[in-house]
Amino acid sequence: IVGVVLRSPLAQAVCFCMGERAAVPGHDVFTRGQRAHSAACLTEGKMSYSSARLEEPVEVRAVTWIAEPALWGSWMHVGTLLTVSVCEWLDLDEQKFRETISQRAPRAMREALVYYAEMVERTVHSEIVLDIPIEQDLAHCQEMANKAANKASGLHDA
């Protein structure tokens, strides 16, 4: 299955832009007010995310995308992410991602731009904006991705 997935231009572009990171407990991954230069996906360990916009810190679990908006545009962290245990995560560099996807996967770039427009629209109307998805965001993110793919297909056909 991995061989099939890695044949797609988007998967190849993403792999080209990804790095691995690790940290011991108590490491500040980022703090509020810092500019985000990458998105991350926790693969091992536990992290804690806190923000003035939340009543209490939230545990970040494996396979959670962190600071995804950084991939689509300029993003300033609105909270602080701290490692609670030894952690490993994948780090997706925003600049490399945008350059690579526009060169290697133009259809995926159209999808990304439509998705970003949806994300901005949703953020403008959201009561709470964070660096991590909250439970009710997950289904909406999938819906936005599907909508972006459909719109991008229409743009390609036009």
Side-chain angles (χ1 to χ4, degrees), residues 142-153:
Q142 183 61 50
E143 181 184 318
M144 286 190 323
N146 292 340
K147 187 187 256 185
N150 292 336
K151 282 184 180 179
S153 293

Side-chain angles (χ1 to χ4, degrees), residues 4 29 37 40 43 48 55 67 69-70 77 80 94 114 117 127 129 134 151 157:
V4 172
V29 179
H37 296 284
T43 56
S48 177
E55 291 181 19
H77 291 296
T80 298
E94 50 94 8
V114 172
E127 292 179 23
V129 177
I134 50 180
K151 282 184 180 179
D157 297 337

Side-chain angles (χ1 to χ4, degrees), residues 32-152:
R32 184 178 152 289
Q34 284 181 324
R35 184 183 180 288
H37 296 284
S38 63
C41 183
L42 181 62
T43 56
E44 292 287 329
K46 289 182 186 176
M47 293 182 176
S48 177
Y49 177 79
S50 59
S51 171
R53 300 167 184 190
L54 295 171
E55 291 181 19
E56 58 186 42
V58 174
E59 180 181 313
V60 178
R61 299 181 185 124
V63 196
T64 298
W65 275 100
I66 303 159
E68 182 188 6
L71 296 178
W72 318 115
S74 183
W75 182 257
M76 299 295 283
H77 291 296
V78 294
T80 298
L81 187 65
L82 177 74
T83 57
V84 175
S85 64
V86 173
C87 291
E88 295 177 5
W89 66 94
L90 298 173
D91 195 63
L92 186 53
D93 181 271
E94 50 94 8
Q95 185 175 358
K96 274 187 188 177
F97 174 75
R98 282 189 227 132
E99 289 171 2
T100 304
I101 196 173
S102 66
Q103 293 169 3
R104 294 185 181 200
R107 182 177 187 277
M109 184 62 173
R110 287 190 299 276
E111 287 181 28
L113 291 173
V114 172
Y115 181 83
Y116 176 59
E118 293 279 334
M119 182 180 284
V120 168
E121 178 69 20
R122 183 165 185 273
T123 300
V124 167
H125 298 296
S126 180
E127 292 179 23
I128 186 166
V129 177
L130 301 170
D131 296 289
I132 61 169
I134 50 180
E135 291 300 319
Q136 61 264 32
D137 282 346
L138 299 177
H140 190 73
C141 288
Q142 183 61 50
E143 181 184 318
M144 286 190 323
N146 292 340
K147 187 187 256 185
N150 292 336
K151 282 184 180 179

